[in-house]
Amino acid sequence: MISESQREAIKFEDVTVIIGLEVHVQLDTQSKLFCGCSTDHGADPNTQTCPVCTGQPGSLPVINQRALELSIRTGLALNCQIARYTKWDRKNYFYPDLPKGYQISQFDQPICGPGQLSVTDAKESFPPRLVNIERAHLEEDAGKSVHDDAGRAKSKIDLNRTGTPLLEIVTKPDMRSAEEAKAFLNELKLILTYVGVSDCDMQHGNLRCDGNINLHIDIDGETIATPIVEIKNLNSFRNAERALSYEAVRQFDAWQEDGKTIGDAPKRTFGWSDAKQETVPQREKEEAADYRYFPDPDLIAVTISEQQIEDIQSTIGELPPQIRERLKADYSLKQYDADVIVSQGRGVVDYFLAVADGCGSGKVASNWVSQEVLRHLGETETEIDQYPVGAEKLTELLKVVVSGDLDQTRAKDVLAEMVESGASVAEASDKLGIVKVDSSEIDSLCQQLIDENEKVVNQIKEGNDKAVGRLIGAARKINPNANPGAVKDRILAMIAGE
Amino acid sequence: MDLTNLSATQLLDQLKSGDLSAVDCNEFFLKRIQAHQSLNAFVDVGENGSGSLAKSAELARTRAAAIDAGEIKGPLAGLPVAIKDGICAAGVETTASSRMLERFVPSYDATCVAQLNQAAAINVGKTNMDEFAMGSSTENSYFGPSLNPFNTGHVPGGSSGGSATAVAAGLAPIALGSDTGGSIRQPASFCGITGLKPTYGRVSRFGLIAFASSLDQIGPMAWTAEDCALAMNYISGHDVNDSTSAKEDVPDFTQGISDSLAGLKIGVYPQFFADGIDPAVETAVRDAIKVYEELGAEIVEIDLPHTASAVATYYVIAPCEASSNLSRYDGVRYTHRAEADSLDQMYMNTRGEGFGAEVKRRIVLGTYALSSGYYDAYYLQASKVRRMIKHDFDQAFQKVDVILGPTTPTTAFKLGQHTADPMAMYLADIYTVSANLAGIPAISLPCGMSEGLPIGLHLQGRSFDEATLLKAAHQYQQATQWHKQRPSMDQEVSA
Ligand SMILES: [Zn+2]
């Protein structure tokens, strides 16, 4: 037993936080997992049901092939081993929104075996973390119970969601902080949306997350662990992060208080209270649930061929980690900038690549896409395919920027005009009165300024190069189209030598 | 005209030739059903006279009239068929003889019912059964037992006892049953008719209220093997709504049943005649062996070493699956619902009231056997033995085409004889459960009488080789008269 004084000597900073996640993802199928009913949201209660998903006598499940494909797709994207043989099991329990009295799930032979996902923080607040995926299995969702707020009044059941395909992705306890867990969730969501298996819309519960957490504490060369807590129904990534970081501290405080370790207490279930900003214990059944899993005799086992896996693999394409590496290696982007582009989804990535290839500068393209384009999309809540300036047009504009023929400020005006009116670069430039100023015009403009501003010229001669800014400002007043860079270079050159 | 002595095939010939109208045929059987309600062959929920049986009769009359008017056509046009009440028929109460489903009216037809409708057969009513098909006597029906037409003091067998009673009493020329451990064959044996349990997967289970999904199979019950072959032509085949239905070609089962049995190898397992068999049953079966020898078949002794464990294996696997299959009857949706103050109490009261004793016993057995810590010793072990039993049959069918034996160790027992002793009741399935565990087809056909009660001959065959069984059964029926034995009730009650 660790004494109280030994415990007090340990600081929170000394302990290791151990986190594993279970993520339920609703697969993006048209119909349910075992019947033809629609999976759409928002229909009137119990209108998207049939004898199969309401568990009527004599009805039988028939597997949705698309759900199998999407599961394999997910598994491949998460580097999982895909089972060549997978089967269905019944998880038996009673609940009013579970019409058959059992959920069809996968117990010991999940469709996706071990895999892994690497999580890197662009801000480098934690070192890159390889999170092992233990498994991912396919199962049917339950319905929704709508309880009357008054408590004892009538509860209502909506079975529209019953039978919707869910893929449950289970990680190993490989995350070491709430931040890492959040980053994992972000990366997972990004990959799932890239491969098109789910919209991961948390508002509609299309991605749901439970977290398992405890602490490892090194003391006198021995590692002790605090009792494991499962936090259920983390309904946003922000809440997941908050709940896990709160729970880590709570467990530390509890351990300081009572010294209880993993062997002293069973695994407990907590929830996250948004109102209290605390993890709160949930009501638990007295006896441990025994789900009496056994193979579902209504369904035949599924065999998955090498060919099937290859076919699906060939349609997956490049995934976020690979795209980030490519943007860094081939377009000289920093990790942070690559992350910004990639996290916007494949559409923005393709847009960026077209612009960067066209204008010849990854950096310029990255700046313009992450600042101008994404700002517009954010403000207007639109997607890249709705952006009025196509990649070709932006390329055209940035070519002029890269060549130095148009300065950033004027170019932004041009872009604003292009967004506004859908004009081409030339049309927008015309409208703004932008014309190319040739070098003889620049020369005479600069000479005029030197002649008229003796005081400033002297300051520059005395080594105060910054003073040239005032001349640039003056130049813009005389001719707004004069490129400030060119004006600056020319004036400095003229003063220095000629 | 008395139609009770006609087989379904003969009846269909008359209907087709126009000698008999669908309406007349239908009325004949509906009247007999009314006249013999004391046999309790059919389930009738609701007010007598306006309940589910009257509803079925009305639907049947409408169909018969439409058939005579040429509005509905099909190869079985006008043929009356009785349907076991565990098989869903749209718009008619389908109770599985349970209080739990007393008011359940399915919105869908079972695939086999839809197939028969498509062929223009007429469903004349839903037959009584042991509750959720659990039992061997129909004494577990919430609606009371059916009676054996050969001796109403005896059971008709079960669980498809109502179907057997209906055919034997001439209330319908043909009926559908379902067989999980012998539920078609044992009542066929007790009631002196022919009943086929097809290969697992041959007939869609969609719409069959599940007892034990990996064992359940729907099949026909009729006077003759030829009639069973006729029905099989319409109810067999792959069904997209049942993943476990087989994508096997369906032959014309009526073709080839007249072919010679010369060279057919029939296996006999000596243990079939071991302890517990009624000597009259043994004699009748041994006589049947002689008939087959005369028909040119060769009798070969075989070994089925693991079938001794079949009943034990069955009574682990079937209750395990049942405990899960019956979880859906929870009072939340279409079932009986008891009053209660809490959800847990509602579950307990509903299931306490809605299920009978045998169903509860099997749910408890299955729940226990699947529980953590017991699963390996029971379910997993039973699954292993099941594979060994299947292997025994695979080996045997390397040597023989058909395996012959008694269907049951005794003739129909008396009502109440085994109700206090579930184990004695379970042993009524001793010869039949193996076929369900192995998934193979098997048929029972009459082969003798003892003290006024029929004796059944059991033939088991290779998977998807129902054709050979039907041929062997038909040839036996060409050479013998046992399938023409009718219960004496027909002289007492005029139709
Ligand atoms: Zn449905």
Side-chain angles (χ1 to χ4, degrees), chain A residues 55 57-58 90 92 96 99 102 290, chain B residues 108 207 324-325 328 333-334 347 372:
Chain A
R90 292 184 182 178
N92 295 283
Y102 57 84
D290 180 356
Chain B
Y108 43 94
S324 175
N325 281 334
R328 65 189 62 197
R333 295 169 309 281
Y334 41 76
Y347 284 148
S372 169

Side-chain angles (χ1 to χ4, degrees), chain A residues 344 348 377 380-388:
Chain A
Q344 295 302 315
V348 170
L377 299 184
T380 54
E381 291 183 0
T382 49
E383 301 291 325
I384 187 69
D385 54 1
Q386 297 162 276
Y387 187 59

Side-chain angles (χ1 to χ4, degrees), chain A residues 410-458:
Chain A
R410 290 300 267 162
K412 282 177 188 173
D413 294 342
V414 173
L415 181 62
E417 179 58 31
M418 291 165 76
V419 168
E420 177 74 21
S421 65
S424 67
V425 175
E427 287 160 358
S429 302
D430 269 1
K431 195 165 175 202
L432 294 172
I434 295 172
V435 288
K436 194 169 172 350
V437 183
D438 68 25
S439 57
S440 66
E441 278 180 84
I442 296 277
D443 282 356
S444 62
L445 177 61
C446 291
Q447 193 57 57
Q448 183 191 343
L449 289 167
I450 288 169
D451 295 346
E452 289 172 2
N453 295 284
E454 199 183 335
K455 219 172 133 192
V456 179
V457 171
N458 285 336

Side-chain angles (χ1 to χ4, degrees), chain A residues 76-79 117 187 191 194-195 313 316-330 338 342 346 349:
Chain A
L76 291 171
L78 300 177
N79 309 297
L117 182 59
E187 184 71 355
I191 289 177
Y194 259 79
V195 295
Q313 180 78 66
I316 283 185
E318 211 178 13
L319 292 173
Q322 291 127 35
I323 303 173
R324 280 193 207 98
E325 287 314 307
R326 188 149 74 90
L327 297 190
K328 279 156 50 182
D330 298 353
V342 172
R346 186 76 224 188
V349 169

Side-chain angles (χ1 to χ4, degrees), chain A residues 51 54-62 90 92 94-96 99-102 152 159 290 292-295 297-300, chain B residues 88 104 108 205-209 213 240-244 321 324-325 327-329 333-334 343 347 351 367 370-372 375:
Chain A
T54 55
Q56 291 184 44
S59 66
L60 292 170
V62 177
R90 292 184 182 178
N92 295 283
F94 285 98
Y95 204 72
K100 297 189 294 298
Y102 57 84
R152 283 187 52 83
L159 298 178
D290 180 356
R292 290 172 281 118
Y293 279 101
F294 78 107
D298 285 335
L299 288 159
I300 48 173
Chain B
C88 290
F104 174 64
Y108 43 94
R205 291 186 298 114
F206 183 85
L208 171 64
I209 296 181
S213 313
V240 290
N241 292 321
D242 175 4
S243 314
T244 64
E321 293 183 12
S324 175
N325 281 334
S327 295
R328 65 189 62 197
Y329 310 118
R333 295 169 309 281
Y334 41 76
L343 178 63
Y347 284 148
R351 291 167 68 82
T367 304
L370 286 176
S371 297
S372 169
Y375 179 87

